[in-house]
Amino acid sequence: MSPHPAAISAQGTDSFAITAVVPPGLEQVAAAELAALGAEEVRPLRRAVACRTDLAGFYRLHLCSRIPFRFLRELARFPCRGRADLHYGVQNAADWDHWLPPEASFKVEASGSLPELNHSHYTALEVKNALVDLQRQRWGSRSMVNLEDPDLALHLHLSPGRPFGGRGEGPIHPSNPYSGGRGSSGRGGGGRGPGGRGPTRNDADLGGGMAILSLEGGGSSLHRRGYRAAMGLAPLKENLAAGLIALTGWDGSVPLVDPLCGSGTLLLEAAAAALGHAPGLRPPMGDIPAFGPTASSRPAAARSFSFERWPDFDPGLWRREVEAAAAQTRPTRADGSAVAPLVGIEQDPAVLAQARANAAAAGLAEHLRLEPGDFRDFSPPPGPGILVCNPPYGDRLGRGDDLEALYADLGRMVRERCSGWTLWLLSGNPALTGALRLKASQRIAVSNGGIDCRWLRYEIR
């Protein structure tokens, strides 16, 4: 993945650690995306990617990254064996006069567990209590909890066992975004967040676990692009679709066809990536074109993000990143060549109407051919190309006998008509994919709505 033109180094005294929460199975491709957008010290984890960035990079990642669900900006980390450690660590994790004055609302989410803190709701309540107790001592008043639209969304993660490193590393080192360091000295025993101190080896000798306190920057999940008011019965999340397309390596140079396109999510995410549409920007409204003089004179509009209410929000820097993201939108591939055809086929007229409505809402209707028809009648465009497909696999849609016949017909069609093409198929049922009578050359484990799936690659000879 080539670097984003606006990406700059995130190294330096103003950089901070963040964690991108991503769909399972997409950690490596998400790491590549974040690195291309300028993140530093990128390290894939389980269902997450750790890295460092600066404030401009943090804004850019929210605007331009396609795969993460959300970004967590680390405030502090501290040793934690139970409730007392948690209470003390949270109160000393940051300059709360700066981050959470009493007039600001907040909410707390928690994940992970320790022997004394083994229920996420209870842990989140303890974090809330620690903060409001501190506020009452300092101000005589407290912030209100707002679960729907808080000024500050906090996330606490508890990790048991060895407190630092997680894989038995040696000394704490700043190149590991999960190993402390770089913290400014300040009051109390927090991590490296504002006003906290970095953990030391003596802390680790205490045993127990680690608590990591972070700010969530997006507000709502970043997979919601805003174009998909119309969905099928078993919709594919937009960020999962974007990651699946990235795994195919499709770059717009060859045709991309979805013979069972449903509401069109795979094709829409492919088109958006090929044409530089940043997912954090609002799609063009009404009949205003996405390209050309009218579009370039229109100020870019971004989605709303939680970090716009943070005390260190920089409006000028944010506007520059929004304009830089908007400048990447184009009617062609990055090299100026035309994007190869993107074709979707859907038999159900109502579902096809949904796909067309979504394409129009995304500002991509002119770049997709969404056609009525049966995939059994499909004739591919000339030359090599890529087929992508998320057929029903019986967990939510379809019945066993009907689905086996569908898969058998799909396999027969690609064998007979798509020589030289590559098929990528999302499978949640190995018994059904056997009916394709094709041998997969690659199997990538992913999760679709909690269903264990495989993204299967077939080279059609």
Side-chain angles (χ1 to χ4, degrees), residues 167-221:
R167 294 194 300 263
E169 290 96 331
I172 298 170
H173 192 276
S175 66
N176 182 346
Y178 273 78
S179 65
R182 296 196 185 182
S184 60
S185 296
R187 55 184 184 79
R192 61 172 175 248
R197 66 173 177 85
T200 67
R201 179 55 60 191
N202 288 335
D203 292 327
D205 292 340
L206 294 173
M210 173 187 284
I212 304 175
L213 186 64
S214 303
L215 304 176
E216 197 274 310
S220 61
S221 177

Side-chain angles (χ1 to χ4, degrees), residues 15 31 41 57 85 91 112 125 139 158 163 168 197 200 229 249 257 294 328 342 345 348 359 377-378 404 451 459:
S15 71
E41 300 176 24
D85 288 344
Q91 288 194 342
L125 185 62
W139 297 89
L158 296 174
R197 66 173 177 85
T200 67
V257 177
T294 304
Q328 297 306 305
L342 292 109
I345 302 168
D348 186 325
D377 301 322
F378 170 66
E404 187 170 347
I451 302 171
E459 299 296 341

